[in-house]
């Protein structure tokens, strides 16, 4: 039995039905594996299969059986990231025409954004974003993180239980970011809910996107009339001369990317803390800092598993593969982070090592990474100080993850703790020196390589999972 399924050109083809063992290998005779479907439900296992079969760069099929190259090697990922003349961000040079309903359109359709620009245009747009981000009050950000963290904890502190994803990790980033963007506080949580709905791709994702666009467009109009001390006003006034549409699109993109990535980083870090006793003891004992813990998470469970797309500007060789002009190249951030050439032993801690690929590298390296780290670091630090006996309330097998082409999202993290009264108003307004007094962590550039190469096995658990199994 087969099902009609469109190929890369939009022509229906005969492919195995979902769930069929042959489905993972693509159309009959190609031998190319799909980066979606049943096999992709265990992404790290799939990465190792692809690495074993093809080396650091593998041919894959995306939804719609669209052909692409998937970069598994750490060094090869850096090569693509740092070579914009060979690998462009402009999707208009793609040698594939998608169907109008392709699920790939949200991440590949060209938009007037710095993530789709190269050269001088990219420099113009990035300067506006970078310079505006640089104007953020670093200590002020931490004060708001502490304030909103206490407010969120107060909402569930008396219950003795909370879902740290739904009630904390999904709410704190958007509250802080909305404040910095100039969005009214009462609109922050509805905006965050709409962003999450967009990212999840639900039936209402289109309406949620329209809501986010309307909020950002209204924000631009208001800030043009009454500028303030906020990201939106700084973008509007920047010498790069962004149009209203460019300002709105970059606000929308920054809100979605920053909120989603910071939420995932916080959720993954909290999961690690609640499921690894030794790691939790290292934190509470002071032998390891939260910034170190964040780096470990960004190695083993980066907020984005797959980075932005690139398109080959001409014929070139990458790894052992010959890339044609216009070919799509996918950056495998999670795959590159577990490359045995640079991490032969995944059980060896790498906290404090910032040569992971979580924030990309080269001209498109994330310009707001220090802000995301500050929200996660300060928020989790404040949470643990307020609820020191925080513990997982369900078996670890009851935690659910939704995997997509670009990320894996932890859906729930039920936790229990001794019920506590709400913090006093004076406490929530204060700025604890240990949390809010620290400067933002520096965004260190990723070195060209990390430790020496060696072989590694196919099924390799993260280092804290091995600790738990002992």
């Amino acid at each position: 039995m087969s099902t009609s399924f469109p190929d890369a050109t939009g022509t229906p083809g005969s492919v195995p039905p979902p769930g069929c063992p042959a489905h993972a290998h693509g159309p009959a005779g190609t031998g190319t594996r799909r980066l979606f479907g049943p096999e992709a439900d265990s992404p790290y296992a799939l990465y190792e299969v692809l690495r074993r079969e093809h080396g650091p760069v593998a041919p894959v099929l995306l939804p719609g059986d669209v052909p692409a190259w998937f970069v598994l090697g750490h060094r090869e990922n850096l090569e693509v990231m740092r070579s914009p003349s060979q690998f462009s961000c402009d999707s208009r040079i793609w040698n594939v025409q998608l169907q109008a309903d392709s699920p790939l359109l949200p991440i590949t359709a060209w938009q007037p954004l710095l993530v789709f620009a190269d050269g001088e245009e990219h420099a113009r747009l990035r300067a506006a974003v970078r310079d505006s981000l640089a104007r953020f009050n670093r200590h002020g950000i931490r004060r708001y993180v502490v304030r909103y963290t206490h407010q969120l904890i107060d909402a569930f502190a008396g219950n003795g239980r909370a879902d740290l994803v739904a009630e904390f990790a999904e709410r704190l980033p958007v509250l802080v970011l909305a404040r910095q963007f100039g969005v009214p506080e009462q609109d922050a949580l509805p905006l965050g809910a709409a962003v999450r709905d967009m990212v999840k791709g639900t039936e209402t994702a289109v309406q949620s996107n329209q809501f986010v666009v309307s909020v950002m467009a209204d924000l631009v109009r208001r800030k043009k009339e009454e500028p303030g001390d906020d990201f939106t006003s700084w973008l509007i006034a920047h010498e790069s001369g962004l149009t209203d549409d460019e300002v709105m699109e970059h606000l929308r993109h920054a809100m979605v990317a920053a909120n989603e990535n910071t939420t995932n980083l916080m959720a993954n870090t909290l999961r690690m803390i609640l499921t690894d006793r030794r790691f939790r003891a290292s934190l509470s004992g002071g032998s390891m800092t939260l910034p170190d813990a964040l780096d470990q998470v960004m190695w083993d469970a980066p907020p984005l598993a797959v980075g932005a797309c690139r398109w080959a500007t001409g014929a070139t060789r990458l790894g052992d593969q010959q890339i044609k002009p216009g070919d799509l190249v996918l950056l495998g951030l999670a795959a590159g982070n577990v490359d045995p050439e640079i991490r032969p032993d995944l059980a060896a801690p790498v906290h404090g090592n910032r040569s992971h690929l979580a924030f990309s590298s080269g001209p498109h390296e994330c310009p707001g990474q220090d802000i995301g780290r500050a929200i996660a670091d300060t928020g989790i630090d404040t949470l643990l100080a307020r609820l020191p006996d925080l513990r997982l309330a369900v078996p670890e097998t009851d935690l659910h993850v939704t995997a997509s082409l670009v990320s894996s999202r932890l859906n729930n993290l039920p936790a229990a703790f001794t019920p506590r009264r709400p913090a006093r108003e004076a406490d929530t307004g204060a700025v604890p020196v240990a949390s809010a007094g620290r400067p933002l962590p520096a965004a260190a550039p990723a070195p060209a390589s990390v430790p020496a190469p060696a072989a590694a096995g196919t099924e390799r658990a993260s280092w804290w999972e091995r600790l738990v199994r002992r």
Side-chain angles (χ1 to χ4, degrees):
M1 178 179 177
S2 63
T3 306
S4 180
F5 202 84
D7 62 18
T9 62
T11 305
S14 182
V15 301
C20 174
H23 192 78
H25 295 280
T30 67
T32 304
R33 294 183 181 272
R34 288 187 168 96
L35 208 60
F36 63 99
E39 190 174 22
D41 288 342
S42 300
Y44 284 91
L46 176 58
Y47 298 158
E48 296 309 317
V49 171
L50 290 170
R51 204 186 310 272
R52 187 170 60 248
E53 292 178 346
H54 301 285
V57 181
V60 295
L61 295 174
L62 306 181
D65 280 350
V66 174
W69 298 102
F70 188 61
V71 187
L72 300 136
H74 187 276
R75 293 183 178 89
E76 288 73 17
N77 268 286
L78 289 177
E79 180 180 345
V80 174
M81 293 171 183
R82 296 172 177 176
S83 305
S85 62
Q86 290 180 291
F87 298 98
S88 171
C89 292
D90 192 337
S91 62
R92 292 173 294 187
I93 68 171
W94 198 0
N95 54 21
V96 166
Q97 180 67 46
L98 294 178
Q99 287 192 321
D101 60 350
S102 171
L104 296 175
L105 283 171
I107 61 172
T108 61
W110 184 88
Q111 301 169 60
L113 288 169
L114 59 87
V115 294
F116 288 101
D118 298 308
E120 293 182 1
E121 181 63 3
H122 172 258
R124 178 181 74 90
L125 297 173
R126 185 178 177 87
V129 173
R130 181 196 62 229
D131 295 347
S132 298
L133 289 173
R135 295 182 63 177
F136 278 19
N137 182 323
R138 272 29 188 176
H139 292 296
I141 289 177
R142 289 195 182 276
R143 290 188 177 91
Y144 283 115
V145 174
V146 171
R147 169 188 166 184
Y148 289 127
T149 296
H150 281 301
Q151 288 183 3
L152 292 172
I153 295 173
D154 282 348
F156 56 72
N159 302 330
R161 296 179 68 91
D163 184 335
L164 296 181
V165 172
E167 298 177 72
F168 185 63
E170 288 186 344
R171 296 188 175 193
L172 180 61
V174 74
L175 285 168
V176 178
L177 292 167
R179 182 84 187 196
Q180 303 304 315
F181 279 44
V183 175
E185 188 170 290
Q186 67 270 18
D187 295 337
L189 292 180
L191 180 62
V195 167
R196 290 194 301 276
D197 192 57
M198 285 171 51
V199 173
K200 291 178 181 178
T202 68
E203 293 181 354
T204 57
V206 174
Q207 293 94 314
S208 292
N209 179 61
Q210 291 171 346
F211 174 76
V212 174
V213 169
S214 68
V215 170
M216 295 306 172
D218 179 66
L219 182 61
V220 173
R221 285 192 295 270
R222 287 193 295 106
K223 291 300 178 180
K224 287 189 69 176
E225 296 175 359
E226 299 180 9
D229 193 26
D230 53 66
F231 184 53
T232 305
S233 300
W234 299 331
L235 280 179
I236 293 171
H238 194 270
E239 61 185 12
S240 291
L242 271 62
T243 66
D244 290 357
D245 283 344
E246 287 175 333
V247 173
M248 187 277 294
E249 289 291 352
H250 281 85
L251 288 172
R252 172 180 168 274
H253 172 75
M255 177 60 72
V256 173
N259 186 65
E260 179 70 5
N261 288 346
T262 307
T263 292
N264 287 350
L265 177 59
M266 292 179 63
N268 291 340
T269 303
L270 286 168
R271 176 179 182 173
M272 177 182 68
I273 291 170
L274 296 187
T275 58
D276 177 4
R277 295 177 183 175
R278 296 188 188 186
F279 198 81
R280 174 72 173 266
S282 296
L283 282 174
S284 61
S287 60
M288 182 175 59
T289 66
L290 257 175
D292 286 343
L294 296 180
D295 284 318
Q296 183 70 57
V297 171
M298 285 186 279
W299 274 105
D300 290 326
L304 282 181
V306 177
C309 305
R310 299 287 192 273
W311 288 267
T313 58
T316 188
R317 192 165 187 82
L318 182 65
D320 299 323
Q321 305 292 350
Q322 188 63 40
I323 313 296
K324 300 189 302 296
D327 278 2
L328 169 60
V329 177
L330 278 179
L331 298 170
L333 308 183
N337 279 349
V338 295
D339 182 355
E341 289 294 316
I342 54 98
R343 284 187 72 192
D345 181 9
L346 292 187
V350 287
H351 48 259
N353 184 334
R354 294 193 180 180
S355 55
H356 52 73
L357 302 174
F359 294 124
S360 190
S361 184
H364 286 271
E365 184 175 9
C366 177
Q369 56 186 275
D370 56 344
I371 297 171
R373 287 181 64 103
I375 294 173
D377 173 16
T378 306
I380 294 174
D381 188 30
T382 306
L383 174 71
L384 295 179
R386 182 90 179 270
L387 305 174
D389 63 342
L390 202 63
R391 60 194 181 276
L392 194 63
V394 298
E396 193 174 351
T397 53
D398 287 351
L399 303 182
H400 304 294
V401 175
T402 298
S404 68
L405 179 64
V406 298
S407 68
S408 294
R409 165 184 279 271
L410 180 63
N411 296 321
N412 65 318
L413 190 62
F417 49 88
T418 301
R420 285 172 171 78
R421 63 178 178 80
R424 292 177 300 145
E425 186 66 28
D427 293 334
T428 60
V431 184
V433 175
S435 294
R438 294 193 307 268
L440 291 183
S449 61
V450 249
T458 299
E459 284 293 336
R460 301 180 295 155
S462 63
W463 73 280
W464 68 80
E465 288 173 335
R466 294 190 180 187
L467 286 173
V468 172
R469 293 173 187 168
R470 292 178 183 173

